[in-house]
Amino acid sequence: MKHTHTPGPWHIGKREILGFFNDDEENQANLNLISAAPDMLEALQMLMPQEPRKADSYDRAMWENARAAIAKAIGKEES
């Protein structure tokens, strides 16, 4: 899948999101990604209670990535 938004990682300053915004298509893709972030966070949070007790390594990695994304979104990521 090709992404047109500015590649991450993005870093948050005191009052700005730091990234490289180059052209109109890229800017629109960035805005789309940013505006979808709350919905994606809510969807991930709704999925977490469905995590199976047993999972293979691929599924386990997927759930770990989901937990890490949630933690990052709410400012609780481990440094």
Side-chain angles (χ1 to χ4, degrees), residues 1-77:
M1 171 184 266
K2 181 180 183 271
H3 299 286
T4 56
H5 59 78
T6 302
W10 292 5
H11 304 281
I12 301 173
K14 285 190 176 190
R15 297 193 48 95
E16 61 188 345
I17 297 175
L18 304 176
F20 297 96
F21 303 97
N22 296 321
D23 59 30
D24 289 337
E25 180 183 3
E26 186 175 22
N27 287 339
Q28 186 59 52
N30 290 335
L31 292 171
N32 293 342
L33 180 61
I34 291 166
S35 68
D39 297 328
M40 292 187 289
L41 174 60
E42 182 179 6
L44 281 176
Q45 289 173 320
M46 290 173 65
L47 285 172
M48 293 314 293
Q50 306 304 317
E51 181 177 5
R53 293 184 190 272
K54 293 184 178 182
D56 62 29
S57 61
Y58 175 80
D59 286 342
R60 182 64 43 214
M62 178 185 65
W63 288 103
E64 289 172 7
N65 288 340
R67 275 193 297 281
I70 290 169
K72 186 174 185 178
I74 63 173
K76 303 277 186 188
E77 75 179 314

